[in-house]
Amino acid sequence: LVPQTRGSGLGASRREGRPMETKRILIVEDEQVSRTALADLLAEEGYQVDTAGSVAGGIAVCVGNGAGPQIPDLAIVDHKLPDGTGLEIAAHLKQQTPPRPVIVVSGSAELEVGTDGNLTFTDSEAIALAAGAAEYHAKPVDFPSLLDAIRRLA
């Protein structure tokens, strides 16, 4: 999967009427419709947006695929991805200087089959925050609330 970039990077975001540098946001979401919709909304807000559909794709964006690192100012990651969890990307971004904030999005509780065969609920929010996520947003994501978090954290 080839990561995609949206936003020209030329338009400056505005906060309190002052132009600011364009912030780079990484979205890692395996559902293409959700990924594209969020990327388009953030590009309209003036952010430069990179996208990926997997942990490997998200890490590839960060290391730059030979084009130099493209470390985002903030990442929005789905908790459950086809090749792992968004928390793997969070761990990678925590090692950067300075550490980059990560917002995890997912269902608030997920049903899993335990090793004993019994069904149990896991609390994705508690797991994400304990792993160092700056914030957690349950799906379906409320865009105004998410945008407020992005403005505070990026």
Side-chain angles (χ1 to χ4, degrees):
L1 222 146
V2 177
Q4 299 175 351
T5 301
R6 284 188 171 60
S8 66
L10 300 174
S13 299
R14 293 191 164 274
R15 189 180 299 164
E16 299 174 13
R18 296 188 319 264
M20 296 183 54
E21 66 182 86
T22 300
K23 299 289 185 171
R24 179 181 291 273
I25 307 293
L26 171 62
I27 300 169
V28 183
E29 166 65 65
D30 57 329
E31 295 177 14
Q32 184 176 356
V33 171
S34 297
R35 181 173 67 237
T36 301
L38 183 56
D40 290 347
L41 288 168
L42 292 177
E44 288 176 16
E45 290 291 323
Y47 293 99
Q48 184 169 347
V49 182
D50 297 311
T51 64
S54 65
V55 172
I59 298 293
V61 169
C62 293
V63 298
N65 288 333
Q70 300 294 316
I71 304 299
D73 295 295
L74 177 135
I76 302 167
V77 300
D78 191 359
H79 184 241
K80 298 255 182 179
L81 294 161
D83 59 344
T85 73
L87 301 179
E88 295 171 65
I89 296 167
H92 177 79
L93 293 173
K94 282 176 63 175
Q95 296 173 4
Q96 303 303 311
T97 305
R100 303 311 201 274
V102 174
I103 297 172
V104 173
V105 295
S106 192
S108 58
E110 297 170 4
L111 195 59
E112 294 185 352
V113 178
T115 56
D116 59 1
N118 292 323
L119 296 177
T120 59
F121 282 99
T122 58
D123 185 350
S124 298
E125 181 175 11
I127 292 168
L129 295 175
E135 287 206 11
Y136 178 92
H137 290 256
K139 290 182 179 179
V141 173
D142 175 61
F143 184 69
S145 174
L146 181 62
L147 186 58
D148 179 57
I150 292 166
R151 287 178 177 148
R152 282 186 285 106
L153 296 169

